[in-house]
Amino acid sequence: MIEHLDPWPFINGAYGISVLFLAGTALLTWRRLRQAAKRLAQTEAS
Amino acid sequence: MQSMHSAGERTARGNLSGRKQAGWLHYFANPGRFARFARPILPWLGAVSALLVVIGIVWGYAFAPADFQQGNAARIMYVHVPAAWVSMSGYAMLALCSFFSLVWRHPLADIAAEEIGPVGAGFTFICLVSGALWGRPTWGTYWVWDARLTSVLILFFLYLGHIALVRGFESRERGYRAGAILALAGVVNLPIIVFSVQWWNTLHQGNSFSLSGSSIYPSMLYPLLVATLGFYLCFLTLVLARVLAAIMERKTSSLLLANAERDA
């Protein structure tokens, strides 16, 4: 028999980790892209 | 004579069309040309994907109806299912890039395959974790070694293997070749994931989507489709941005090397 649990901590956990992953990877990717563009511009200028 | 002539013309036209298609493929396979094409698209793609993900997630979390059997626990579907579809499609894209890399040796295919790996692994991780969190209140356990769960775990390991192989060699070329072979061999896992719920008795539910339609009620289907489109565009945005960054990093490295050689 399955014990009845409050599902909300599990729902919040699933949404929380998904949002953290999407926001985190977006932020890291944006930083990498900006740094790559900056370094390329510096190298081309020198 | 007439029919032979027509057949010859048809073949010639077919060859020309095939060459045009291949030409289009080779045209965008140039990393510099691809970067010029992709750079203006990226901000728009990012904005649309963020908007769709927010709408899909908020709709599923707060406004979609609860399931008549599972209650509110079914809301996990709005992140779990899109992550699962993206993780499988991402692997198919990885395998396609690997095929292009092995057959035509396109440098862009190598870069794309290298950059798809970590993003795909991330979405597969989200699929596994959200699935485990869905399993606990509905099945009474976070994990069972059933065919669907195990095959998705193998997909995650295939992604990790590809990431390690591509970066694990002194020679970049050798890493790309080894990674491409692993990616193509791992394609066999995709139909196993899809049909696992039909081939074996699994705790995981059967497929809700088939060629004949969907078994999901529209009030739950629409937020799921919006979230799925958002996740797909988000995946594309992340991969495109990573490919652009990689192209710029390589260009910087080659410029620095050329400068160093000139100064020496």
Side-chain angles (χ1 to χ4, degrees), chain B:
Chain B
M1 187 69 187
Q2 179 69 32
S3 67
M4 273 175 70
H5 185 67
S6 312
E9 267 183 0
R10 273 200 301 275
T11 313
R13 257 186 243 132
N15 286 344
L16 192 67
S17 143
R19 236 180 286 144
K20 267 184 190 165
Q21 280 170 5
W24 175 85
L25 196 72
H26 294 301
Y27 182 82
F28 282 107
N30 177 298
R33 200 172 286 140
F34 176 81
R36 279 195 298 279
F37 165 77
R39 203 172 290 145
I41 294 174
L42 194 62
W44 295 101
L45 197 62
V48 173
S49 62
L51 189 71
L52 285 175
V53 165
V54 169
I55 292 172
I57 280 182
V58 172
W59 194 352
Y61 183 84
F63 299 107
D67 184 69
F68 83 104
Q69 276 182 325
Q70 296 184 29
N72 283 315
R75 292 183 194 282
I76 296 175
M77 167 177 77
Y78 303 104
V79 288
H80 174 72
V81 174
W85 284 347
V86 169
S87 62
M88 285 192 290
S89 308
Y91 194 86
M93 261 179 78
L94 175 65
L96 196 67
C97 289
S98 301
F99 177 76
F100 287 148
S101 161
L102 285 176
V103 175
W104 286 295
R105 303 280 164 121
H106 282 319
L108 187 66
D110 289 327
I111 299 173
E114 187 176 0
E115 301 304 334
I116 286 170
V119 183
F123 275 97
T124 314
F125 179 73
I126 292 301
C127 168
L128 287 167
V129 172
S130 58
L133 289 168
W134 194 0
R136 183 72 181 93
T138 49
W139 301 337
T141 180
Y142 288 104
W143 185 265
V144 282
W145 291 100
D146 96 353
R148 171 61 70 87
L149 277 69
T150 309
S151 53
V152 174
L153 184 66
I154 291 170
L155 180 73
F156 182 59
F157 289 146
L158 281 168
Y159 271 122
L160 294 187
H162 184 268
I163 293 168
L165 265 182
V166 163
R167 292 160 178 80
F169 287 84
E170 282 281 321
S171 150
R172 211 173 218 172
E173 285 301 309
R174 285 187 68 192
Y176 287 144
R177 296 289 87 77
I181 291 165
L182 174 75
L184 286 175
V187 167
V188 73
N189 191 41
L190 293 181
I192 293 177
I193 295 174
V194 174
F195 296 110
S196 56
V197 288
Q198 294 171 21
W199 292 342
W200 295 285
N201 281 325
T202 57
L203 198 53
H204 194 283
Q205 67 175 68
N207 294 327
S208 302
F209 290 86
S210 66
L211 291 175
S212 55
S214 155
S215 60
I216 302 177
Y217 198 70
S219 58
M220 297 168 91
L221 178 67
Y222 295 145
L224 179 63
L225 292 179
V226 171
T228 302
L229 188 61
F231 270 56
Y232 268 109
L233 292 182
C234 197
F235 174 82
L236 272 182
T237 308
L238 289 171
V239 170
L240 207 62
R242 288 175 65 93
V243 169
L244 274 177
I247 290 171
M248 286 191 276
E249 284 161 3
R250 276 153 206 240
K251 199 172 172 189
T252 306
S253 298
S254 53
L255 279 174
L256 285 173
L257 196 67
N259 287 349
E261 279 173 359
R262 192 189 56 206
D263 295 342

Side-chain angles (χ1 to χ4, degrees), chain A residues 13-25:
Chain A
Y15 276 78
I17 198 159
S18 304
V19 170
L20 270 179
F21 164 73
L22 291 173
T25 44

